[in-house]
Amino acid sequence: MSPTFDHVTLGQRVLFGSGRAADNLAAEVTRLGARRIMVIASPSEVPVAQEVTKHIDGTLFHDDVAPHVPIAKAESARAAAAEHSIDLLVCVGGGSTTGLAKAVALTTGLPIVAVPTTYAGSEATNVWGLTEAARKTTGVDDRVLPVTVIYDAHLTLSLPVELSVASGLNGMAHCIDSMWAPRTDPINRALAAEGIRALAEGLPAIKNDPQNLRGREQTLYGAYLSAVAFASAGSGLHHKICHVLGGAYDLPHAQTHATVLPYVLAFNAPAAPEAEHRIAGAFGTDTAVAGLDALRVALDAPRALKNYGLDEAWIAEAVELILPFVPDSNPRPVTATDLEALLRAAHAGETPVL
Ligand code: NAD
């Protein structure tokens, strides 16, 4: 069949280089002509942010960051930006920190330069998220897409192994879910496949030696590709499940993705031969499931949602919450019974059933 698709590539500058973040940021500030710069970083990320911003003047540090961007935190950051006539946002940190910068950009239109220190990938998407009264709302707006991303693997050396593994598997979930997401196309599938290859190479190297810079670089590169693929392909079944679980039951983001992924892959793979072939090829294994499973064993990956705060008694409600969001593009129809079986297995950490 001849390929027919509409593809959008988001416009963004990417500066990648270990040990180069401070110089690259100073050059970007000059290029953008910024004078009043708000640096967003959580308290534990501030030392890294100080190092990265050492060559620039006119910075206001804002460290009032919390997971899932509570609306009150967004409003206080927006007020600080207005009060200090900020003309550029620089975020240095994980997805929570990037998320706060996006919340400010959403209402102010201020440009963002993102310096990520995890593998969440928010820096490469135009997706924002805000939490109000325990409900997380997400949306898509090109104003929140950082104009520039500065990747420096040195900044991730301090990310503990467990968090590196969970965060990297969050990236892996972006790649695998892109294979059957609503706007999947040959371009985002190619990016996702290269992302799988890079993450499968980088993450075991980090597990063996957290100071392995080459492993950190490969993982950061894979995380970027994963996010570009996800931004283009949209949210598939895996992301819909994790979004509901994270929002309704306050489960930790990266660990939830890392735990649920093998169950969604095992469920969809038999009905998606092209995706199965591509994923297996990227892992270099006979099947996609075998590839992900071998990686998860090597990484001692998160295994059971019961360990991350999901109560078995909530599963029936979770099924009802997830069902309306199952994408029409999913390669296999999803019934309430299927979802319940998937969530029960993921809750207990049982071996996924094909
Ligand atoms: P996070 O940003 O909450 O970071 C996790 C922890 O790691 C924090 O305590 C942080 O301070 C610490 N940390 C970060 N970098 C570190 C480093 N180099 N060394 C030591 N500690 C470090 O978690 P996350 O997984 O990066 O991001 C999750 C959030 O991002 C969620 O809210 C999720 O919804 C969002 N997200 C959004 C998108 C999007 O496209 N909008 C994509 C992915 C994730």
Side-chain angles (χ1 to χ4, degrees), residues 36-88:
R36 304 281 303 155
I37 299 150
M38 182 159 155
V39 181
I40 301 179
S42 71
S44 66
E45 295 158 346
V46 163
V48 176
Q50 280 168 337
E51 178 63 24
V52 169
T53 56
K54 65 186 177 190
H55 299 321
I56 57 176
D57 301 321
T59 51
L60 168 77
F61 273 74
H62 185 91
D63 69 359
D64 194 11
V65 176
H68 304 301
V69 197
I71 186 80
K73 305 278 184 204
E75 278 167 4
S76 87
R78 289 165 179 165
E83 187 189 334
H84 295 274
S85 307
I86 294 298
D87 57 11
L88 177 67

Coordinates of all heavy atoms in Angstrom, one line a residue, residues 36-88:
R36 N 16.0 39.9 31.0 CA 15.5 39.5 32.3 C 15.1 38.1 32.3 O 14.0 37.7 31.7 CB 14.3 40.4 32.6 CG 14.6 41.9 32.5 CD 15.3 42.5 33.7 NE 14.5 42.2 34.9 CZ 15.1 42.1 36.2 NH1 16.4 42.2 36.3 NH2 14.3 41.9 37.2
I37 N 15.8 37.3 32.9 CA 15.7 35.8 32.7 C 15.2 35.1 34.0 O 15.8 35.3 35.1 CB 17.0 35.2 32.3 CG1 17.4 35.8 30.9 CG2 16.9 33.7 32.2 CD1 18.9 35.9 30.7
M38 N 14.1 34.4 34.0 CA 13.6 33.7 35.1 C 14.1 32.3 35.0 O 13.8 31.6 34.0 CB 12.1 33.8 35.2 CG 11.5 33.1 36.3 SD 9.8 33.8 36.5 CE 9.0 32.4 37.4
V39 N 14.9 31.8 36.0 CA 15.4 30.5 36.0 C 14.5 29.6 36.9 O 14.4 29.9 38.1 CB 16.9 30.5 36.5 CG1 17.4 29.0 36.5 CG2 17.8 31.4 35.6
I40 N 13.9 28.6 36.4 CA 13.0 27.8 37.2 C 13.7 26.5 37.4 O 14.2 25.8 36.5 CB 11.7 27.6 36.4 CG1 11.0 28.9 36.1 CG2 10.7 26.6 37.2 CD1 9.7 28.8 35.4
A41 N 13.8 26.1 38.7 CA 14.4 24.9 39.1 C 13.9 24.6 40.5 O 13.8 25.5 41.3 CB 16.0 25.0 39.2
S42 N 13.7 23.3 40.8 CA 13.2 22.9 42.2 C 14.4 23.1 43.1 O 15.6 23.1 42.7 CB 12.7 21.5 42.2 OG 13.8 20.6 42.1
P43 N 14.2 23.2 44.5 CA 15.3 23.4 45.4 C 16.5 22.4 45.1 O 17.6 22.8 45.2 CB 14.7 23.2 46.8 CG 13.2 23.7 46.5 CD 12.9 23.2 45.2
S44 N 16.1 21.1 44.9 CA 17.2 20.1 44.7 C 17.9 20.3 43.4 O 19.0 19.8 43.2 CB 16.7 18.7 44.9 OG 15.8 18.4 43.8
E45 N 17.3 21.0 42.4 CA 17.9 21.2 41.1 C 18.7 22.6 41.0 O 19.4 22.8 40.1 CB 16.8 21.2 40.0 CG 16.1 19.9 39.9 CD 14.7 19.9 39.2 OE1 14.2 21.1 39.1 OE2 14.2 18.9 38.8
V46 N 18.5 23.4 42.1 CA 19.1 24.8 42.0 C 20.6 24.7 41.9 O 21.2 25.5 41.1 CB 18.7 25.6 43.3 CG1 19.6 26.8 43.5 CG2 17.2 26.1 43.1
P47 N 21.4 23.8 42.6 CA 22.8 23.8 42.4 C 23.2 23.6 40.9 O 24.1 24.3 40.4 CB 23.3 22.7 43.3 CG 22.3 22.5 44.3 CD 21.0 22.9 43.6
V48 N 22.5 22.7 40.3 CA 22.8 22.4 38.8 C 22.4 23.7 38.0 O 23.2 24.1 37.1 CB 22.0 21.2 38.3 CG1 22.2 21.0 36.8 CG2 22.3 20.0 39.1
A49 N 21.3 24.3 38.4 CA 20.8 25.5 37.6 C 21.8 26.6 37.8 O 22.1 27.4 36.8 CB 19.5 25.9 38.1
Q50 N 22.4 26.8 39.0 CA 23.4 27.8 39.2 C 24.6 27.6 38.3 O 25.2 28.5 37.7 CB 23.8 27.9 40.7 CG 22.8 28.6 41.5 CD 23.0 28.4 43.0 OE1 23.6 27.5 43.4 NE2 22.4 29.4 43.8
E51 N 25.1 26.4 38.2 CA 26.2 26.0 37.4 C 25.9 26.3 35.9 O 26.7 26.9 35.2 CB 26.5 24.5 37.6 CG 27.6 23.9 36.8 CD 29.0 24.6 37.1 OE1 29.2 25.1 38.2 OE2 29.9 24.6 36.1
V52 N 24.7 25.9 35.5 CA 24.3 26.1 34.1 C 24.2 27.6 33.7 O 24.4 28.0 32.5 CB 23.0 25.3 33.8 CG1 22.5 25.7 32.4 CG2 23.3 23.8 33.9
T53 N 23.8 28.4 34.6 CA 23.5 29.8 34.3 C 24.7 30.8 34.8 O 24.5 32.0 34.8 CB 22.2 30.3 35.1 OG1 22.4 30.1 36.5 CG2 21.0 29.6 34.6
K54 N 25.8 30.2 35.0 CA 26.9 31.0 35.6 C 27.4 32.1 34.6 O 28.0 33.0 35.1 CB 28.1 30.1 36.0 CG 28.8 29.3 34.9 CD 29.8 28.3 35.4 CE 30.4 27.5 34.3 NZ 31.2 26.4 34.8
H55 N 27.2 31.9 33.3 CA 27.7 32.9 32.4 C 26.7 34.0 32.0 O 26.9 34.8 31.2 CB 28.2 32.3 31.1 CG 29.3 31.3 31.2 ND1 30.3 31.5 32.1 CD2 29.5 30.1 30.6 CE1 31.2 30.5 32.0 NE2 30.7 29.6 31.2
I56 N 25.5 33.9 32.6 CA 24.4 34.9 32.2 C 24.1 35.8 33.4 O 24.1 35.4 34.6 CB 23.2 34.3 31.6 CG1 22.5 33.2 32.5 CG2 23.5 33.6 30.3 CD1 21.3 32.7 32.0
D57 N 23.7 37.1 33.1 CA 23.3 38.1 34.1 C 21.8 38.2 34.0 O 21.1 37.8 33.1 CB 24.0 39.4 33.8 CG 25.5 39.3 33.7 OD1 26.0 38.6 34.6 OD2 26.1 40.0 32.9
G58 N 21.3 39.0 35.0 CA 19.9 39.3 35.0 C 19.0 38.2 35.3 O 17.9 38.1 34.7
T59 N 19.4 37.3 36.2 CA 18.6 36.1 36.4 C 17.8 36.2 37.7 O 18.3 36.7 38.7 CB 19.4 34.8 36.5 OG1 20.5 35.0 37.4 CG2 20.0 34.4 35.2
L60 N 16.5 35.8 37.7 CA 15.7 35.7 38.9 C 15.5 34.2 39.1 O 14.9 33.5 38.2 CB 14.4 36.4 38.6 CG 13.3 36.1 39.6 CD1 13.5 36.9 40.9 CD2 11.9 36.5 39.1
F61 N 15.9 33.6 40.2 CA 15.6 32.2 40.5 C 14.3 32.0 41.1 O 13.8 32.7 42.0 CB 16.7 31.7 41.4 CG 17.9 31.2 40.7 CD1 18.8 32.1 40.1 CD2 18.2 29.9 40.5 CE1 19.9 31.7 39.4 CE2 19.3 29.4 39.8 CZ 20.2 30.3 39.3
H62 N 13.6 31.0 40.6 CA 12.2 30.7 41.1 C 12.2 29.2 41.4 O 12.3 28.3 40.4 CB 11.2 31.0 40.0 CG 9.8 30.8 40.5 ND1 9.1 31.8 41.1 CD2 9.0 29.7 40.5 CE1 7.9 31.3 41.5 NE2 7.8 30.1 41.1
D63 N 12.1 28.8 42.7 CA 12.3 27.3 43.0 C 11.0 26.7 43.5 O 11.0 25.6 44.1 CB 13.4 27.1 43.9 CG 13.2 27.7 45.3 OD1 12.1 28.3 45.6 OD2 14.1 27.5 46.2
D64 N 9.8 27.4 43.4 CA 8.6 26.9 44.0 C 7.9 26.0 43.0 O 6.9 26.3 42.3 CB 7.7 28.1 44.3 CG 6.5 27.7 45.2 OD1 6.5 26.6 45.7 OD2 5.6 28.5 45.3
V65 N 8.5 24.8 42.9 CA 8.1 23.8 41.9 C 7.5 22.6 42.6 O 8.0 22.2 43.7 CB 9.4 23.3 41.1 CG1 9.0 22.1 40.1 CG2 10.0 24.4 40.4
A66 N 6.4 22.0 42.1 CA 5.8 20.8 42.7 C 5.4 19.9 41.5 O 5.1 20.3 40.4 CB 4.6 21.2 43.6
P67 N 5.3 18.6 41.8 CA 4.9 17.6 40.8 C 3.5 18.0 40.2 O 2.6 18.5 40.9 CB 4.8 16.3 41.5 CG 5.7 16.4 42.6 CD 5.7 17.9 43.0
H68 N 3.3 17.7 38.9 CA 2.0 17.9 38.2 C 1.5 19.3 38.2 O 0.3 19.6 37.9 CB 1.0 16.9 38.8 CG 1.4 15.5 38.7 ND1 1.7 14.9 37.6 CD2 1.6 14.6 39.7 CE1 2.1 13.6 37.9 NE2 2.0 13.4 39.1
V69 N 2.4 20.3 38.4 CA 2.1 21.7 38.2 C 0.7 22.2 38.9 O -0.3 22.4 38.2 CB 2.1 22.2 36.8 CG1 2.2 23.7 36.6 CG2 3.2 21.5 36.0
P70 N 0.6 22.2 40.2 CA -0.6 22.8 40.8 C -0.8 24.2 40.4 O 0.1 25.0 40.2 CB -0.2 22.7 42.3 CG 0.9 21.8 42.5 CD 1.7 21.9 41.2
I71 N -2.1 24.5 40.2 CA -2.5 25.8 39.6 C -1.9 27.0 40.4 O -1.5 28.0 39.9 CB -4.0 25.9 39.3 CG1 -4.4 27.2 38.6 CG2 -4.8 25.8 40.6 CD1 -4.2 27.1 37.1
A72 N -1.9 26.8 41.7 CA -1.4 27.9 42.6 C 0.1 28.2 42.3 O 0.5 29.3 42.3 CB -1.6 27.5 44.1
K73 N 0.8 27.1 42.1 CA 2.3 27.3 41.8 C 2.4 28.0 40.4 O 3.3 28.8 40.2 CB 3.0 26.0 41.7 CG 2.8 25.1 43.0 CD 3.8 25.5 44.0 CE 3.7 24.6 45.2 NZ 4.2 25.2 46.5
A74 N 1.5 27.6 39.5 CA 1.6 28.3 38.1 C 1.3 29.8 38.3 O 2.0 30.6 37.7 CB 0.6 27.6 37.2
E75 N 0.3 30.1 39.1 CA -0.1 31.5 39.2 C 0.9 32.3 39.9 O 1.2 33.4 39.5 CB -1.5 31.6 39.9 CG -2.6 31.3 38.8 CD -4.0 31.1 39.4 OE1 -4.2 31.2 40.6 OE2 -4.9 30.8 38.5
S76 N 1.6 31.7 40.9 CA 2.6 32.5 41.6 C 3.8 32.7 40.7 O 4.5 33.8 40.7 CB 3.0 32.0 43.0 OG 3.9 31.0 42.9
A77 N 4.2 31.7 39.9 CA 5.3 31.9 38.9 C 4.9 32.9 37.8 O 5.8 33.7 37.4 CB 5.6 30.5 38.2
R78 N 3.7 32.9 37.4 CA 3.2 33.9 36.4 C 3.3 35.3 37.0 O 3.8 36.3 36.3 CB 1.8 33.6 35.9 CG 1.7 32.4 35.1 CD 0.2 31.9 35.0 NE 0.1 30.7 34.2 CZ -1.0 30.0 34.1 NH1 -2.1 30.3 34.9 NH2 -1.1 28.9 33.3
A79 N 2.9 35.4 38.2 CA 3.0 36.8 38.9 C 4.4 37.2 39.0 O 4.7 38.4 38.8 CB 2.3 36.7 40.3
A80 N 5.3 36.3 39.4 CA 6.7 36.7 39.5 C 7.3 37.1 38.2 O 8.0 38.1 38.1 CB 7.5 35.5 40.1
A81 N 6.9 36.4 37.1 CA 7.4 36.8 35.8 C 6.9 38.2 35.4 O 7.7 39.0 34.8 CB 6.9 35.8 34.7
A82 N 5.7 38.5 35.7 CA 5.1 39.8 35.4 C 5.8 40.9 36.2 O 6.2 41.9 35.7 CB 3.6 39.8 35.6
E83 N 5.9 40.6 37.5 CA 6.5 41.6 38.4 C 7.9 42.0 38.0 O 8.3 43.2 38.1 CB 6.5 41.1 39.8 CG 6.9 42.0 40.9 CD 7.1 41.4 42.3 OE1 6.4 40.3 42.5 OE2 7.9 41.9 43.1
H84 N 8.7 41.1 37.5 CA 10.1 41.3 37.2 C 10.3 41.6 35.7 O 11.5 41.5 35.2 CB 11.0 40.2 37.7 CG 11.0 40.1 39.2 ND1 11.8 40.8 40.0 CD2 10.2 39.4 40.0 CE1 11.5 40.5 41.3 NE2 10.5 39.7 41.3
S85 N 9.2 41.8 35.0 CA 9.3 42.0 33.5 C 10.2 41.0 32.8 O 11.1 41.4 32.0 CB 9.9 43.4 33.2 OG 9.1 44.4 33.9
I86 N 10.0 39.8 33.1 CA 10.8 38.7 32.5 C 10.6 38.6 31.0 O 9.5 38.7 30.5 CB 10.4 37.4 33.2 CG1 10.8 37.4 34.7 CG2 11.0 36.1 32.5 CD1 12.3 37.5 35.0
D87 N 11.7 38.4 30.3 CA 11.6 38.2 28.8 C 12.1 36.8 28.3 O 12.0 36.5 27.2 CB 12.2 39.3 28.0 CG 13.7 39.5 28.3 OD1 14.3 38.6 29.0 OD2 14.3 40.5 27.9
L88 N 12.6 36.0 29.3 CA 12.9 34.6 28.9 C 12.8 33.7 30.1 O 13.2 34.1 31.2 CB 14.4 34.6 28.3 CG 14.9 33.2 28.0 CD1 14.2 32.6 26.8 CD2 16.5 33.2 27.7

